[in-house]
């Protein structure tokens, strides 16, 4: 994704500048089994992976605070969320079909679909600059 420098991770440490206390408290700690975070392109929402539901899932939370929402809701491991350049979709890796593949969903978790299918594990999604793929 073109705006990786704008993400909240820097040298393995979550950067929470510009977030209120409530939003920061909703994020998992670095010690939790899953702590990759990415900020939406408009800066209003954070997508993160967390095992707070018992397995690794993709969650979103407003930078203004509120309750995190599990948008992936799969019994399989879902990880490595990346926002589309227009901020309407999230790409992520999942093992829900038996092999780790790349999936895309709308930012609210709807319209989840697999976009890769091969015998190798796909783990790190990325977007073209125009978001078309």
């Amino acid at each position: 994704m073109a705006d990786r420098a704008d993400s909240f991770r820097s040298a393995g440490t979550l950067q929470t500048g510009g977030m209120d206390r409530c939003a920061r408290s909703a994020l998992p700690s670095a010690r939790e089994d899953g702590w990759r975070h990415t900020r939406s392109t408009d800066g209003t929402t954070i997508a993160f992976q967390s095992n707070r539901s018992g397995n690794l899932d993709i969650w979103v939370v407003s930078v203004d605070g509120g309750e995190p929402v599990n948008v992936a809701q799969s019994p399989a491991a879902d990880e490595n969320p990346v926002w589309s350049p227009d901020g309407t979709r999230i790409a992520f890796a999942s093992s829900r079909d038996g092999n780790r593949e790349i999936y895309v969903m709308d930012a609210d978790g709807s319209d989840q679909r697999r976009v890769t299918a091969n015998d190798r594990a796909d783990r790190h999604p990325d977007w073209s600059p125009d978001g078309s793929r």
Side-chain angles (χ1 to χ4, degrees), residues 35-95:
W35 54 277
R36 294 178 194 263
H37 304 74
T38 183
R39 188 178 197 170
S40 62
T41 53
D42 67 3
T44 63
T45 309
I46 297 170
F48 62 97
Q49 69 185 43
S50 172
N51 66 359
R52 65 180 60 206
S53 64
N55 68 301
L56 212 50
D57 278 317
I58 307 298
W59 297 73
V60 295
V61 67
S62 169
V63 297
D64 294 331
E67 286 296 313
V69 176
N70 181 345
V71 292
Q73 296 187 6
S74 168
D78 299 315
E79 60 187 341
N80 301 327
V82 180
W83 288 95
S84 63
D86 66 2
T88 63
R89 296 171 292 163
I90 300 171
F92 61 101
S94 179
S95 59

Side-chain angles (χ1 to χ4, degrees), residues 69-73 88-90 92 96 103-113:
V69 176
N70 181 345
V71 292
Q73 296 187 6
T88 63
R89 296 171 292 163
I90 300 171
F92 61 101
R96 60 182 64 187
Y103 289 75
V104 173
M105 65 181 158
D106 291 346
D108 65 1
S110 64
D111 195 24
Q112 296 184 24
R113 61 194 179 282

